[in-house]
Amino acid sequence: MPGHFEPLPGGGAAVALDDVEISIIRSLAVQLLELIGPGPAEDASDDPLAELFAEGPSEPPADPVLRRLFPDAYTDPEGAPGARGADEQKAHSAEFRRYTENDLRAGKRDNALTVIRSLDALASRAADAGGAVLKLSPQESQAWLRALNDLRLAIGSRLEITDEDDTDLLYRLPDDDPRKPMVMAYLWLGGLQETLVTTLMP
């Protein structure tokens, strides 16, 4: 079980984590939470109807990581600026973002919080024994899967990974490269994500 998820009887998944691994994942999840930012209810109104009908932003985020997490819905990868239909795509993307981004952010916040809370519950046991087994319900497993994907997207964006060739180059980075710790986290999270996907497959 060390380093990879395994299925639990009745559904869900389990993985053995040591103190350092718990600390790394929790720290990354907290950073992701801070990057996504608070929801409308946290910084404005207590009215649930106001939150329900609150409009989100219409422009893509300035931060490249957030642009990766919340991409435009309508894009033509081969379309150049000013190309025919580009203005229409931009308008459609703005409209879609206005009515969906708040919900997407809320979902990503919930997933990151699930990771943090489950690790906090595990931390006291792990501190006494140098590690512990994290056991996740089926619902928690799905939240972890989505959060791991978001973490890898965020790190991959910082590392400027755009395709599989970029990933192959990561394995050949020298140990003194300042990106090495981030690369190791990216690859490790990828392994966790892959085993969790396999575990949850019917």
Side-chain angles (χ1 to χ4, degrees):
M1 185 181 295
H4 62 273
F5 280 94
E6 293 184 0
L8 287 174
V15 62
L17 298 171
D18 63 30
D19 290 346
V20 174
E21 292 168 334
I22 292 170
S23 176
I24 290 171
I25 299 174
R26 189 187 188 284
S27 174
L28 291 172
V30 168
Q31 291 176 55
L32 180 64
L33 204 57
E34 291 171 348
L35 184 64
I36 292 169
E42 296 173 64
D43 52 1
S45 171
D46 293 327
D47 180 358
L49 287 178
E51 181 184 352
L52 181 64
F53 294 107
E55 291 186 7
S58 59
E59 293 294 321
D63 188 294
V65 174
L66 289 176
R67 282 202 305 273
R68 188 82 174 266
L69 292 172
F70 305 102
D72 275 334
Y74 301 93
T75 57
D76 179 2
E78 297 179 5
R84 184 176 180 181
D87 289 342
E88 185 177 349
Q89 286 182 350
K90 185 176 180 181
H92 287 320
S93 289
E95 189 74 1
F96 187 83
R97 183 180 296 279
R98 183 178 294 117
Y99 293 109
T100 61
E101 186 167 313
N102 283 345
D103 286 342
L104 290 173
R105 284 180 182 258
K108 292 181 185 300
R109 273 192 298 272
D110 289 344
N111 295 330
L113 282 170
T114 296
V115 169
I116 293 167
R117 288 168 181 156
S118 56
L119 290 176
D120 285 348
L122 185 70
S124 57
R125 286 183 285 144
D128 297 333
V133 176
L134 176 69
K135 295 181 179 180
L136 302 173
S137 68
Q139 184 177 357
E140 290 171 329
S141 298
Q142 292 293 336
W144 263 75
L145 186 58
R146 291 188 291 267
L148 287 173
N149 186 62
D150 286 343
L151 289 173
R152 292 194 77 238
L153 284 174
I155 295 173
S157 179
R158 293 287 188 232
L159 292 171
E160 299 182 346
I161 297 171
T162 57
D163 56 36
E164 195 61 36
D165 290 339
D166 294 334
T167 304
D168 292 340
L169 292 173
L170 298 180
Y171 289 98
R172 297 195 289 274
L173 281 180
D175 289 341
D176 60 353
D177 192 296
R179 297 170 294 173
K180 191 73 172 186
M182 199 183 304
V183 167
M184 297 304 293
Y186 178 81
L187 297 174
W188 174 56
L189 291 175
L192 282 177
Q193 182 183 15
E194 184 177 346
T195 60
L196 185 52
V197 167
T198 304
T199 295
L200 297 177
M201 287 177 65

